[in-house]
Amino acid sequence: MPAVNFDRMLQAAVANGAKPNQVIYWSRPLNWQNQTLTPNPDTIYLNPFYDTRSGPVVLEIPPAEGDAVIVGSADNAWQNALEDVGPAGADKGKGGKYLITPPGYKGGPLDGYIHLPSDTYQGFVILRSNFKSRSDADIAAAVAYGKRIKIYPLGGSPEGTVYVDVYDKPFDATIPYDWRFFESLHRFVQVEPWLERDKVMIDLLQSIGIEKGKPFNPDAKTKTVFEQAAREARAEIDLRYAGLFVPPYFNGTHWAVPASASVVEGMGTGFADPNSYPVTGRAVSYAMGYFSAKRLGAGQFYLMSIQDRDGRQLDGQQTYRLTVPANAPVTQYWSATAYDRETHALIRETSRSSRASNSPDVRKNADGSVDIHFGPRAPAGKEANWVPTNGRDFEVLFRLYGPEKPLFEKTWVLPDIEKVSQQ
């Protein structure tokens, strides 16, 4: 799943005219045309895909300057974190040159570089340039700062960095639960080396026509088998996904970190525990999202909910309210985003997908709390705090950037989403 997830994003970038070792970016906060899995529509994304088949690649991150900061992580093609960047990463906010080297690289570390040995030739870097508000000036400033990111071959010129704007263009990286899943997997196998842990899969994949150095040409009968297998896998993954929410993060609520404990632990260590490799847990996580952080919780934290206060699935035909208590424990911002429950992507054909503390038009209550409304229509007088669902069953991801102790000590608690009557 993480391999196919990566390939889907890479192919979407290529379909928009981008190439590896370029900076793919969105010049405005994402709209629904971005059909990646659970993206953040309240930041500026910059998303280089690296390819080291021709040699090491340099990624330059600018130093943090006041409110201007780059946060994110570099991941290999299996979406294992190589390192975080920015204030919570290896450069500690001072900026730096990260040297991404290919499998089997013998050159060793170089002075002046932060060395990131990759055990895959390909991978990606997911970066966010946060803005103070959604004003045009603040967004433009975040884009300009983000374009100080450079990516180029070792020995090449930083000024040769190419920037490709894909804002408001179809960018579909949702998981195809049909024979195309296996097509993506085949494409991955052709490029990447077999890791020690992967070797058990070589014969199994050969038995379904996925073999290194050979074309992938399933006949009609085989495609039918693939279609059925993908549907069955999807059903199992969805059941296991629902199981992630027990136990919840806050007692008595339905909020949970959308990854199993073994996956979260492994993300930070490269799955170094010799007695743990959560294959199924990773399948579940990468069916609904992408990227892994080296230090989850240092720069960002995530809580997901698929149910209301009464334990019912969130119904896109109904209206709901989420009350975000005052004094949210963040140094940057929080946001609440609605995703299509079926695809885990932004709900299509919507005017917006989220509300956040950096949205200047969001209205606060007298006590400093904020009511966010989800539903097919805005409650009367609540339009500024409304997230449309277009009638689609949905899930909500609550993000905290620059999370602080009250979140981890759970002295600040996010209450459940409540179903309310349409006003």
Side-chain angles (χ1 to χ4, degrees):
M1 185 63 75
V4 169
N5 182 320
F6 162 77
D7 179 71
R8 291 288 293 168
M9 292 189 292
L10 175 60
Q11 298 309 316
V14 170
N16 278 287
K19 297 178 180 179
N21 301 331
Q22 297 179 344
V23 177
I24 294 90
Y25 76 103
W26 284 258
S27 57
R28 301 281 301 177
L30 307 181
N31 61 20
W32 66 267
Q33 293 273 25
N34 181 299
Q35 287 288 294
T36 54
L37 303 184
T38 56
N40 181 355
D42 294 291
T43 191
I44 294 297
Y45 269 116
L46 302 107
N47 192 183
F49 291 84
Y50 71 79
D51 190 331
T52 62
R53 280 178 285 180
S54 296
V57 172
V58 178
L59 172 74
E60 286 192 20
I61 300 296
E65 298 176 354
D67 292 320
V69 61
I70 298 294
V71 297
S73 304
D75 286 9
N76 69 13
W78 281 106
Q79 303 200 49
N80 288 336
L82 303 179
E83 187 52 88
D84 301 330
V85 307
D91 63 87
K92 307 298 183 185
K94 297 177 181 179
K97 296 180 180 181
Y98 291 80
L99 181 65
I100 305 172
T101 57
Y105 179 70
K106 303 298 184 183
L110 297 177
D111 289 343
Y113 293 86
I114 299 167
H115 188 197
L116 304 184
S118 178
D119 52 8
T120 61
Y121 290 105
Q122 302 175 111
F124 67 100
V125 191
I126 188 69
L127 303 170
R128 308 165 194 86
S129 180
N130 294 329
F131 41 76
K132 290 194 295 184
S133 76
R134 295 183 78 95
S135 71
D136 288 343
D138 283 347
I139 289 172
V143 171
Y145 176 72
K147 290 177 75 173
R148 290 170 58 185
I149 293 164
K150 310 290 184 184
I151 187 168
Y152 52 92
L154 179 64
S157 170
E159 303 314 311
T161 299
V162 175
Y163 302 88
V164 181
D165 185 4
V166 295
Y167 172 70
D168 204 29
K169 295 179 180 179
F171 198 94
D172 188 356
T174 52
I175 304 299
Y177 290 96
D178 52 39
W179 78 272
R180 294 173 299 159
F181 184 97
F182 301 91
E183 185 179 47
S184 271
L185 185 56
H186 175 265
R187 191 158 40 230
F188 186 95
V189 166
Q190 297 312 302
V191 174
E192 300 301 345
W194 292 111
L195 304 183
E196 192 67 29
R197 66 165 190 251
D198 300 332
K199 289 185 176 180
V200 69
M201 295 302 299
I202 295 175
D203 279 356
L204 293 175
L205 290 177
Q206 285 180 359
S207 75
I208 60 171
I210 297 177
E211 186 172 355
K212 210 176 262 296
K214 294 188 177 180
F216 180 64
N217 294 309
D219 58 22
K221 180 179 179 180
T222 304
K223 284 184 179 180
T224 299
V225 173
F226 285 163
E227 300 272 341
Q228 181 179 351
R231 285 194 298 269
E232 291 179 4
R234 182 179 200 163
E236 180 175 351
I237 286 170
D238 200 53
L239 283 172
R240 291 178 180 271
Y241 174 61
L244 288 178
F245 298 86
V246 180
Y249 185 75
F250 302 112
N251 288 336
T253 74
H254 294 90
W255 292 103
V257 176
S260 68
S262 57
V263 169
V264 171
E265 180 180 351
M267 285 165 61
T269 65
F271 298 94
D273 184 347
N275 297 308
S276 173
Y277 191 65
V279 173
T280 303
R282 297 187 75 221
V284 173
S285 292
Y286 288 102
M288 57 72 59
Y290 63 92
F291 123 92
S292 69
K294 194 76 171 176
R295 303 167 189 84
L296 183 63
Q300 63 275 315
F301 199 77
Y302 306 97
L303 293 169
M304 180 77 85
S305 183
I306 60 174
Q307 295 178 321
D308 67 12
R309 184 178 61 182
D310 298 318
R312 296 172 297 203
Q313 299 294 308
L314 297 172
D315 181 347
Q317 300 286 350
Q318 305 298 320
T319 300
Y320 299 86
R321 178 180 62 237
L322 168 64
T323 299
V324 182
N327 303 314
V330 292
T331 58
Q332 297 177 38
Y333 70 96
W334 58 258
S335 67
T337 307
Y339 299 98
D340 191 304
R341 179 67 177 80
E342 181 179 359
T343 65
H344 304 294
L346 297 174
I347 298 170
R348 289 179 174 270
E349 307 288 346
T350 50
S351 57
R352 64 174 171 235
S353 304
S354 68
R355 295 278 74 191
S357 59
N358 61 3
S359 303
D361 56 333
V362 165
R363 297 181 180 179
K364 291 184 178 181
N365 299 321
D367 63 357
S369 65
V370 176
D371 290 334
I372 306 297
H373 299 270
F374 303 90
R377 294 172 301 281
K382 309 293 186 183
E383 291 81 3
N385 290 26
W386 168 61
V387 178
T389 59
N390 275 10
R392 297 287 297 175
D393 291 351
F394 67 103
E395 56 197 4
V396 175
L397 185 60
F398 193 85
R399 290 178 167 87
L400 302 101
Y401 278 91
E404 297 182 300
K405 282 185 178 181
L407 172 67
F408 304 113
E409 295 174 348
K410 302 181 183 179
T411 54
W412 182 91
V413 175
L414 186 66
D416 270 330
I417 297 168
E418 299 178 71
K419 183 179 176 182
V420 297
S421 299
Q422 181 71 46
Q423 300 298 318

